Coordinates of all heavy atoms in Angstrom, one line a residue:
Chain N
A485 N -11.3 -70.3 -40.0 CA -11.7 -68.9 -40.1 C -10.8 -68.2 -39.0 O -11.3 -67.8 -38.0 CB -13.2 -68.7 -39.8
G486 N -9.5 -68.1 -39.3 CA -8.7 -67.4 -38.3 C -8.3 -68.4 -37.2 O -8.3 -69.6 -37.4
D487 N -7.9 -67.8 -36.1 CA -7.4 -68.7 -34.9 C -8.6 -69.5 -34.5 O -9.7 -69.1 -34.5 CB -6.9 -67.8 -33.8 CG -5.7 -67.0 -34.2 OD1 -5.0 -67.4 -35.1 OD2 -5.5 -65.9 -33.6
P488 N -8.3 -70.7 -34.0 CA -9.3 -71.6 -33.4 C -10.0 -70.8 -32.3 O -9.3 -70.2 -31.5 CB -8.6 -72.8 -32.9 CG -7.3 -72.8 -33.7 CD -7.0 -71.4 -33.9
V489 N -11.3 -71.0 -32.1 CA -12.0 -70.3 -31.0 C -13.2 -71.1 -30.6 O -13.8 -71.8 -31.4 CB -12.4 -68.9 -31.5 CG1 -13.4 -68.9 -32.6 CG2 -13.0 -68.1 -30.3
R490 N -13.5 -71.1 -29.3 CA -14.7 -71.8 -28.8 C -15.9 -70.9 -29.0 O -15.9 -69.7 -28.6 CB -14.6 -72.1 -27.3 CG -13.5 -73.1 -27.0 CD -13.8 -74.5 -27.4 NE -14.9 -75.2 -26.6 CZ -15.3 -76.4 -26.9 NH1 -14.8 -77.1 -27.9 NH2 -16.2 -77.0 -26.1
V491 N -16.9 -71.4 -29.6 CA -18.1 -70.6 -29.8 C -19.4 -71.4 -29.5 O -19.4 -72.6 -29.5 CB -18.2 -70.1 -31.3 CG1 -17.2 -69.1 -31.7 CG2 -18.2 -71.3 -32.3
A492 N -20.4 -70.6 -29.1 CA -21.7 -71.2 -28.8 C -22.4 -71.4 -30.1 O -22.6 -70.5 -30.9 CB -22.5 -70.4 -27.9
I493 N -22.8 -72.6 -30.5 CA -23.6 -72.9 -31.7 C -24.9 -73.6 -31.4 O -25.0 -74.2 -30.3 CB -22.8 -73.7 -32.7 CG1 -22.4 -75.1 -32.2 CG2 -21.5 -72.9 -33.2 CD1 -21.9 -76.0 -33.3
I494 N -25.8 -73.4 -32.3 CA -27.1 -74.0 -32.1 C -27.4 -75.0 -33.2 O -27.7 -74.5 -34.3 CB -28.2 -72.9 -32.0 CG1 -28.0 -72.0 -30.8 CG2 -29.6 -73.6 -32.0 CD1 -28.3 -72.6 -29.4
P495 N -27.4 -76.3 -33.1 CA -27.9 -77.2 -34.1 C -29.4 -77.1 -34.1 O -30.0 -77.3 -33.0 CB -27.4 -78.6 -33.6 CG -26.3 -78.3 -32.6 CD -26.7 -77.0 -32.0
T496 N -30.0 -76.8 -35.2 CA -31.5 -76.5 -35.2 C -32.1 -77.2 -36.4 O -31.5 -77.4 -37.4 CB -31.8 -75.0 -35.3 OG1 -33.1 -74.8 -35.6 CG2 -30.9 -74.3 -36.3
T497 N -33.4 -77.6 -36.2 CA -34.1 -78.2 -37.3 C -34.4 -77.1 -38.3 O -34.6 -75.9 -37.9 CB -35.5 -78.7 -36.8 OG1 -36.3 -77.7 -36.3 CG2 -35.3 -79.8 -35.8
P498 N -34.5 -77.4 -39.6 CA -34.7 -76.3 -40.6 C -36.0 -75.6 -40.3 O -36.2 -74.5 -40.8 CB -34.8 -77.1 -41.9 CG -33.9 -78.3 -41.7 CD -34.2 -78.7 -40.2
S499 N -37.0 -76.3 -39.6 CA -38.3 -75.6 -39.4 C -38.3 -74.4 -38.5 O -39.2 -73.7 -38.5 CB -39.3 -76.7 -38.9 OG -38.7 -77.3 -37.7
L500 N -37.2 -74.3 -37.7 CA -37.2 -73.2 -36.7 C -37.3 -71.8 -37.3 O -38.0 -71.0 -36.9 CB -36.0 -73.4 -35.8 CG -36.0 -72.4 -34.7 CD1 -37.0 -72.8 -33.6 CD2 -34.6 -72.3 -34.0
F501 N -36.5 -71.6 -38.4 CA -36.4 -70.2 -38.9 C -37.8 -69.8 -39.5 O -38.2 -68.7 -39.2 CB -35.3 -70.1 -40.0 CG -33.9 -70.2 -39.3 CD1 -33.2 -71.4 -39.5 CD2 -33.4 -69.1 -38.6 CE1 -31.9 -71.5 -38.9 CE2 -32.1 -69.3 -38.1 CZ -31.4 -70.4 -38.2
P502 N -38.5 -70.6 -40.3 CA -39.8 -70.2 -40.7 C -40.8 -70.0 -39.6 O -41.6 -69.1 -39.7 CB -40.2 -71.4 -41.6 CG -39.0 -72.1 -42.0 CD -38.0 -71.9 -40.9
I503 N -40.6 -70.7 -38.5 CA -41.5 -70.5 -37.3 C -41.3 -69.1 -36.8 O -42.2 -68.4 -36.4 CB -41.2 -71.5 -36.2 CG1 -41.8 -72.9 -36.7 CG2 -41.8 -71.1 -34.9 CD1 -41.5 -74.0 -35.7
L504 N -40.0 -68.6 -36.8 CA -39.7 -67.3 -36.2 C -40.1 -66.2 -37.3 O -40.0 -65.0 -36.9 CB -38.2 -67.2 -35.9 CG -37.8 -68.1 -34.7 CD1 -36.3 -68.1 -34.5 CD2 -38.5 -67.7 -33.4
R505 N -40.4 -66.7 -38.5 CA -40.6 -65.7 -39.6 C -39.5 -64.7 -39.8 O -39.6 -63.5 -39.8 CB -41.9 -64.9 -39.3 CG -43.2 -65.7 -39.0 CD -44.1 -65.6 -40.3 NE -45.0 -66.8 -40.3 CZ -46.2 -66.8 -39.8 NH1 -46.6 -65.7 -39.2 NH2 -47.0 -67.8 -39.9
V506 N -38.3 -65.3 -40.0 CA -37.1 -64.5 -40.2 C -36.5 -64.8 -41.6 O -36.8 -65.9 -42.1 CB -36.0 -64.6 -39.1 CG1 -36.5 -64.0 -37.8 CG2 -35.7 -66.1 -38.9
R507 N -35.8 -63.9 -42.1 CA -35.1 -64.1 -43.4 C -33.6 -63.8 -43.2 O -33.2 -63.0 -42.4 CB -35.6 -63.0 -44.4 CG -37.0 -63.2 -44.9 CD -37.4 -62.0 -45.7 NE -38.9 -61.9 -45.8 CZ -39.6 -62.7 -46.5 NH1 -39.1 -63.5 -47.4 NH2 -41.0 -62.5 -46.5
P508 N -32.8 -64.5 -44.0 CA -31.4 -64.2 -43.9 C -31.0 -62.9 -44.5 O -31.7 -62.4 -45.4 CB -30.8 -65.4 -44.7 CG -31.8 -65.8 -45.7 CD -33.1 -65.5 -45.1
L509 N -29.8 -62.4 -44.1 CA -29.3 -61.1 -44.7 C -28.7 -61.5 -46.1 O -29.0 -60.8 -47.0 CB -28.2 -60.6 -43.8 CG -27.6 -59.3 -44.2 CD1 -28.6 -58.1 -44.1 CD2 -26.4 -58.9 -43.3
I510 N -27.9 -62.5 -46.1 CA -27.5 -63.0 -47.4 C -27.6 -64.5 -47.4 O -27.7 -65.2 -46.4 CB -26.0 -62.6 -47.7 CG1 -25.1 -63.0 -46.6 CG2 -25.9 -61.1 -48.0 CD1 -23.6 -62.7 -47.0
G511 N -27.6 -65.1 -48.6 CA -27.7 -66.6 -48.7 C -29.1 -67.0 -48.5 O -30.1 -66.3 -48.7
R512 N -29.3 -68.2 -47.9 CA -30.6 -68.8 -47.7 C -30.7 -69.4 -46.3 O -29.7 -69.5 -45.6 CB -30.8 -69.9 -48.7 CG -29.9 -71.1 -48.7 CD -30.3 -72.2 -49.6 NE -29.4 -73.3 -49.5 CZ -29.5 -74.4 -48.7 NH1 -30.4 -74.4 -47.7 NH2 -28.6 -75.4 -48.7
L513 N -31.9 -69.9 -45.9 CA -32.1 -70.6 -44.7 C -31.9 -72.1 -45.0 O -31.6 -72.5 -46.2 CB -33.5 -70.4 -44.2 CG -33.7 -68.9 -43.8 CD1 -35.2 -68.7 -43.4 CD2 -32.8 -68.5 -42.6
F514 N -32.0 -73.0 -44.0 CA -32.0 -74.4 -44.3 C -33.2 -74.9 -45.0 O -34.3 -74.3 -44.7 CB -31.8 -75.2 -43.0 CG -30.6 -74.8 -42.2 CD1 -30.6 -74.6 -40.8 CD2 -29.3 -74.7 -42.8 CE1 -29.5 -74.2 -40.1 CE2 -28.2 -74.3 -42.1 CZ -28.3 -74.1 -40.8
N515 N -33.1 -75.9 -45.8 CA -34.3 -76.5 -46.4 C -34.8 -77.7 -45.7 O -34.0 -78.4 -45.0 CB -34.0 -76.9 -47.9 CG -33.7 -75.6 -48.7 OD1 -34.3 -74.6 -48.5 ND2 -32.8 -75.8 -49.7
E516 N -36.0 -78.0 -45.8 CA -36.6 -79.1 -45.2 C -35.8 -80.4 -45.6 O -35.5 -80.6 -46.7 CB -38.1 -79.3 -45.6 CG -39.0 -80.2 -44.8 CD -38.9 -79.7 -43.3 OE1 -39.1 -78.5 -43.0 OE2 -38.7 -80.6 -42.5
G517 N -35.5 -81.2 -44.6 CA -34.8 -82.5 -44.9 C -33.3 -82.3 -44.7 O -32.6 -83.3 -44.7
E518 N -32.8 -81.1 -44.7 CA -31.3 -80.9 -44.5 C -31.0 -81.2 -43.0 O -31.8 -81.0 -42.1 CB -30.9 -79.5 -44.9 CG -30.9 -79.4 -46.4 CD -30.5 -78.0 -46.9 OE1 -30.7 -77.0 -46.1 OE2 -30.0 -77.8 -48.0
G519 N -29.8 -81.5 -42.7 CA -29.3 -81.7 -41.3 C -29.3 -83.1 -40.9 O -28.9 -83.4 -39.7
A520 N -29.7 -84.1 -41.7 CA -29.6 -85.5 -41.3 C -28.2 -85.9 -41.1 O -27.2 -85.3 -41.7 CB -30.3 -86.4 -42.4
R521 N -28.0 -87.0 -40.4 CA -26.7 -87.4 -39.9 C -25.7 -87.7 -41.1 O -24.5 -87.3 -41.1 CB -26.8 -88.7 -39.1 CG -26.6 -88.5 -37.7 CD -26.5 -89.9 -37.0 NE -25.3 -90.1 -36.3 CZ -25.0 -89.6 -35.1 NH1 -25.9 -88.8 -34.5 NH2 -23.9 -89.9 -34.5
D522 N -26.3 -88.3 -42.2 CA -25.4 -88.7 -43.3 C -25.2 -87.6 -44.3 O -24.6 -87.8 -45.3 CB -26.0 -89.9 -44.0 CG -27.5 -89.8 -44.2 OD1 -28.0 -88.7 -43.9 OD2 -28.1 -90.7 -44.8
Q523 N -25.8 -86.4 -44.1 CA -25.6 -85.3 -45.0 C -24.5 -84.4 -44.6 O -24.1 -84.3 -43.5 CB -26.9 -84.5 -45.1 CG -28.0 -85.2 -45.8 CD -29.2 -84.3 -45.9 OE1 -29.2 -83.2 -45.5 NE2 -30.3 -84.9 -46.5
P524 N -23.9 -83.7 -45.6 CA -22.8 -82.7 -45.3 C -23.3 -81.6 -44.4 O -24.5 -81.2 -44.4 CB -22.4 -82.1 -46.7 CG -23.5 -82.4 -47.6 CD -24.2 -83.7 -47.1
G525 N -22.4 -81.1 -43.5 CA -22.8 -80.1 -42.5 C -23.1 -78.8 -43.2 O -22.5 -78.3 -44.2
L526 N -24.2 -78.1 -42.7 CA -24.5 -76.8 -43.2 C -24.6 -75.8 -42.1 O -25.0 -76.2 -41.0 CB -25.9 -76.8 -43.9 CG -26.1 -77.8 -45.1 CD1 -27.5 -77.8 -45.6 CD2 -25.1 -77.4 -46.2
V527 N -24.2 -74.6 -42.3 CA -24.2 -73.6 -41.2 C -24.7 -72.2 -41.7 O -24.4 -71.8 -42.8 CB -22.8 -73.5 -40.5 CG1 -21.7 -73.0 -41.5 CG2 -22.8 -72.6 -39.3
I528 N -25.4 -71.6 -40.8 CA -25.8 -70.1 -41.0 C -25.0 -69.3 -40.0 O -25.0 -69.7 -38.8 CB -27.3 -69.9 -40.9 CG1 -28.0 -70.7 -42.0 CG2 -27.6 -68.5 -41.0 CD1 -29.5 -70.7 -41.9
L529 N -24.3 -68.3 -40.4 CA -23.5 -67.5 -39.5 C -24.4 -66.4 -38.9 O -25.3 -65.8 -39.5 CB -22.3 -66.9 -40.2 CG -21.4 -67.8 -40.9 CD1 -20.2 -67.0 -41.5 CD2 -20.8 -68.9 -40.0
S530 N -24.0 -66.0 -37.6 CA -24.6 -64.8 -37.1 C -23.8 -63.6 -37.7 O -22.7 -63.7 -38.2 CB -24.4 -64.7 -35.6 OG -23.0 -64.6 -35.2
Y531 N -24.5 -62.4 -37.6 CA -23.9 -61.2 -38.2 C -22.5 -60.9 -37.6 O -21.6 -60.6 -38.3 CB -24.9 -60.0 -38.0 CG -24.4 -58.7 -38.6 CD1 -24.8 -58.5 -39.9 CD2 -23.7 -57.8 -37.9 CE1 -24.4 -57.3 -40.5 CE2 -23.3 -56.6 -38.5 CZ -23.7 -56.3 -39.8 OH -23.3 -55.2 -40.4
G532 N -22.5 -61.1 -36.2 CA -21.2 -60.8 -35.5 C -20.1 -61.7 -36.0 O -19.0 -61.2 -36.2
L533 N -20.3 -63.0 -36.1 CA -19.3 -63.9 -36.5 C -18.8 -63.6 -37.9 O -17.6 -63.7 -38.2 CB -19.8 -65.4 -36.4 CG -18.7 -66.4 -36.5 CD1 -17.8 -66.4 -35.4 CD2 -19.4 -67.8 -36.6
W534 N -19.8 -63.3 -38.7 CA -19.5 -63.0 -40.1 C -18.6 -61.8 -40.2 O -17.6 -61.7 -41.0 CB -20.9 -62.7 -40.9 CG -20.8 -62.3 -42.3 CD1 -20.1 -63.0 -43.3 CD2 -21.4 -61.2 -42.9 NE1 -20.3 -62.3 -44.5 CE2 -21.1 -61.2 -44.3 CE3 -22.2 -60.1 -42.4 CZ2 -21.6 -60.2 -45.1 CZ3 -22.7 -59.2 -43.3 CH2 -22.3 -59.2 -44.6
Q535 N -18.9 -60.7 -39.4 CA -18.1 -59.5 -39.4 C -16.7 -59.8 -38.9 O -15.7 -59.4 -39.5 CB -18.8 -58.4 -38.6 CG -20.0 -57.8 -39.2 CD -19.7 -57.0 -40.5 OE1 -18.7 -56.4 -40.5 NE2 -20.6 -57.1 -41.4
E536 N -16.7 -60.5 -37.7 CA -15.4 -60.7 -37.1 C -14.5 -61.6 -37.8 O -13.3 -61.4 -38.0 CB -15.6 -61.3 -35.7 CG -15.9 -60.4 -34.6 CD -16.5 -61.1 -33.4 OE1 -16.0 -62.2 -33.1 OE2 -17.4 -60.5 -32.7
R537 N -15.0 -62.7 -38.3 CA -14.2 -63.7 -38.9 C -14.0 -63.7 -40.4 O -13.1 -64.2 -41.0 CB -14.7 -65.1 -38.5 CG -14.6 -65.4 -37.0 CD -13.2 -65.9 -36.7 NE -12.9 -65.7 -35.3 CZ -11.8 -66.2 -34.7 NH1 -11.0 -67.0 -35.4 NH2 -11.6 -66.0 -33.5
F538 N -15.0 -63.0 -41.1 CA -15.0 -62.9 -42.5 C -15.0 -61.5 -43.1 O -15.2 -61.3 -44.2 CB -16.1 -63.8 -43.1 CG -16.0 -65.2 -42.7 CD1 -16.8 -65.7 -41.6 CD2 -15.2 -66.1 -43.4 CE1 -16.7 -67.0 -41.2 CE2 -15.1 -67.4 -42.9 CZ -15.9 -67.9 -41.9
G539 N -14.9 -60.5 -42.1 CA -14.8 -59.1 -42.6 C -16.1 -58.7 -43.3 O -16.0 -57.8 -44.1
G540 N -17.2 -59.4 -43.1 CA -18.4 -59.0 -43.8 C -18.4 -59.2 -45.3 O -19.2 -58.6 -46.0
R541 N -17.6 -60.2 -45.8 CA -17.6 -60.4 -47.2 C -18.8 -61.1 -47.7 O -19.3 -62.0 -47.1 CB -16.3 -61.3 -47.6 CG -15.0 -60.6 -47.3 CD -13.9 -61.3 -48.1 NE -13.9 -62.7 -47.9 CZ -13.3 -63.3 -46.9 NH1 -12.6 -62.6 -46.0 NH2 -13.3 -64.6 -46.8
S542 N -19.4 -60.6 -48.8 CA -20.7 -61.1 -49.3 C -20.5 -62.5 -50.0 O -21.5 -63.2 -50.1 CB -21.4 -60.1 -50.1 OG -20.5 -59.7 -51.2
E543 N -19.3 -62.8 -50.6 CA -19.2 -64.0 -51.3 C -18.8 -65.2 -50.4 O -18.2 -66.2 -50.8 CB -18.1 -63.9 -52.4 CG -16.6 -63.8 -51.9 CD -16.3 -62.4 -51.4 OE1 -17.2 -61.6 -51.2 OE2 -15.1 -62.1 -51.2
I544 N -19.3 -65.1 -49.2 CA -19.0 -66.1 -48.2 C -19.8 -67.4 -48.4 O -19.3 -68.5 -48.0 CB -19.3 -65.5 -46.8 CG1 -18.7 -66.3 -45.7 CG2 -20.8 -65.3 -46.6 CD1 -17.2 -66.2 -45.7
V545 N -20.9 -67.3 -49.0 CA -21.8 -68.5 -49.2 C -21.1 -69.6 -49.9 O -20.4 -69.3 -51.0 CB -23.1 -68.1 -49.9 CG1 -23.9 -69.4 -50.2 CG2 -23.9 -67.1 -49.0
G546 N -21.1 -70.8 -49.4 CA -20.4 -71.9 -50.0 C -19.0 -72.2 -49.4 O -18.4 -73.2 -49.6
H547 N -18.5 -71.2 -48.7 CA -17.2 -71.3 -48.0 C -17.3 -72.4 -46.9 O -18.4 -72.6 -46.3 CB -16.9 -70.0 -47.4 CG -15.5 -69.8 -46.9 ND1 -14.5 -69.3 -47.7 CD2 -14.9 -70.2 -45.7 CE1 -13.4 -69.3 -47.0 NE2 -13.6 -69.8 -45.8
L548 N -16.2 -73.1 -46.7 CA -16.2 -74.2 -45.7 C -15.6 -73.7 -44.4 O -14.5 -73.1 -44.4 CB -15.5 -75.4 -46.2 CG -16.2 -76.4 -47.1 CD1 -15.3 -77.6 -47.4 CD2 -17.5 -76.9 -46.5
I549 N -16.2 -74.1 -43.2 CA -15.5 -73.9 -41.9 C -15.7 -75.2 -41.1 O -16.4 -76.1 -41.6 CB -16.1 -72.7 -41.1 CG1 -17.6 -72.9 -40.9 CG2 -15.8 -71.4 -41.7 CD1 -18.3 -71.9 -40.0
Q550 N -14.9 -75.3 -40.1 CA -15.0 -76.6 -39.3 C -15.5 -76.3 -37.8 O -15.0 -75.3 -37.2 CB -13.7 -77.3 -39.2 CG -13.3 -78.0 -40.5 CD -12.5 -77.1 -41.4 OE1 -11.7 -76.3 -40.9 NE2 -12.8 -77.1 -42.7
F551 N -16.4 -77.0 -37.3 CA -16.7 -77.0 -35.9 C -16.3 -78.4 -35.4 O -16.7 -79.4 -35.9 CB -18.2 -76.9 -35.7 CG -18.7 -75.5 -35.9 CD1 -19.6 -75.2 -37.0 CD2 -18.2 -74.4 -35.2 CE1 -20.1 -73.9 -37.2 CE2 -18.7 -73.1 -35.4 CZ -19.6 -72.9 -36.4
D552 N -15.4 -78.4 -34.4 CA -14.8 -79.6 -33.8 C -14.3 -80.5 -34.9 O -14.6 -81.7 -35.0 CB -15.8 -80.3 -33.0 CG -16.1 -79.6 -31.6 OD1 -15.2 -78.8 -31.2 OD2 -17.2 -79.7 -31.0
D553 N -13.6 -79.9 -35.9 CA -13.0 -80.7 -37.0 C -14.0 -81.2 -38.0 O -13.6 -81.8 -39.0 CB -12.1 -81.8 -36.5 CG -10.9 -81.3 -35.7 OD1 -10.6 -80.1 -35.9 OD2 -10.4 -82.0 -34.9
K554 N -15.3 -81.0 -37.9 CA -16.2 -81.5 -38.9 C -16.5 -80.3 -39.8 O -16.8 -79.2 -39.4 CB -17.5 -81.9 -38.2 CG -18.5 -82.6 -39.2 CD -19.8 -83.0 -38.6 CE -20.7 -83.4 -39.8 NZ -22.1 -83.4 -39.4
P555 N -16.4 -80.5 -41.2 CA -16.7 -79.4 -42.1 C -18.1 -79.0 -42.2 O -19.0 -79.9 -42.2 CB -16.1 -80.0 -43.4 CG -16.3 -81.5 -43.3 CD -16.1 -81.8 -41.9
Y556 N -18.4 -77.7 -42.3 CA -19.7 -77.2 -42.5 C -19.6 -76.2 -43.6 O -18.7 -75.4 -43.7 CB -20.2 -76.5 -41.3 CG -20.6 -77.4 -40.2 CD1 -19.6 -78.0 -39.3 CD2 -22.0 -77.8 -40.0 CE1 -20.0 -78.8 -38.3 CE2 -22.3 -78.7 -39.0 CZ -21.3 -79.2 -38.1 OH -21.7 -80.1 -37.1
S557 N -20.6 -76.2 -44.5 CA -20.7 -75.3 -45.6 C -21.6 -74.1 -45.3 O -22.7 -74.3 -44.8 CB -21.2 -76.0 -46.9 OG -21.5 -75.1 -47.9
I558 N -21.1 -72.9 -45.4 CA -21.9 -71.7 -45.1 C -23.0 -71.5 -46.1 O -22.7 -71.4 -47.3 CB -21.0 -70.5 -45.0 CG1 -19.9 -70.7 -43.9 CG2 -21.8 -69.2 -44.7 CD1 -18.9 -69.6 -43.9
V559 N -24.3 -71.5 -45.7 CA -25.4 -71.3 -46.6 C -25.9 -69.8 -46.5 O -26.6 -69.4 -47.4 CB -26.5 -72.3 -46.5 CG1 -26.0 -73.7 -46.7 CG2 -27.2 -72.2 -45.1
G560 N -25.7 -69.2 -45.4 CA -26.3 -67.8 -45.2 C -25.7 -67.1 -44.0 O -25.0 -67.7 -43.2
V561 N -26.2 -65.8 -43.9 CA -25.8 -65.0 -42.8 C -27.1 -64.3 -42.3 O -27.9 -63.9 -43.1 CB -24.8 -63.9 -43.2 CG1 -24.5 -63.0 -42.0 CG2 -23.5 -64.5 -43.7
M562 N -27.3 -64.3 -40.9 CA -28.5 -63.7 -40.4 C -28.3 -62.2 -40.2 O -27.1 -61.7 -40.1 CB -28.9 -64.3 -39.1 CG -29.3 -65.8 -39.2 SD -30.6 -66.1 -40.5 CE -32.0 -65.3 -39.6

Side-chain angles (χ1 to χ4, degrees):
Chain N
D487 297 334
V489 63
R490 293 289 289 179
V491 291
I493 62 167
I494 297 287
T496 166
T497 61
S499 52
L500 186 71
F501 293 103
I503 285 175
L504 295 174
R505 302 258 158 92
V506 287
R507 287 170 204 282
L509 183 66
I510 53 174
R512 64 168 178 90
L513 298 172
F514 301 133
N515 292 326
E516 198 55 49
E518 285 178 336
R521 253 186 122 77
D522 48 357
Q523 287 186 359
L526 301 176
V527 64
I528 296 174
L529 302 183
S530 69
Y531 185 87
L533 190 67
W534 177 53
Q535 289 292 326
E536 275 166 36
R537 293 278 158 167
F538 301 97
R541 294 199 309 274
S542 55
E543 71 281 13
I544 194 72
V545 173
H547 193 95
L548 277 184
I549 55 172
Q550 286 88 41
F551 286 117
D552 288 338
D553 295 338
K554 188 187 169 195
Y556 286 83
S557 171
I558 298 172
V559 300
V561 176
M562 293 310 286

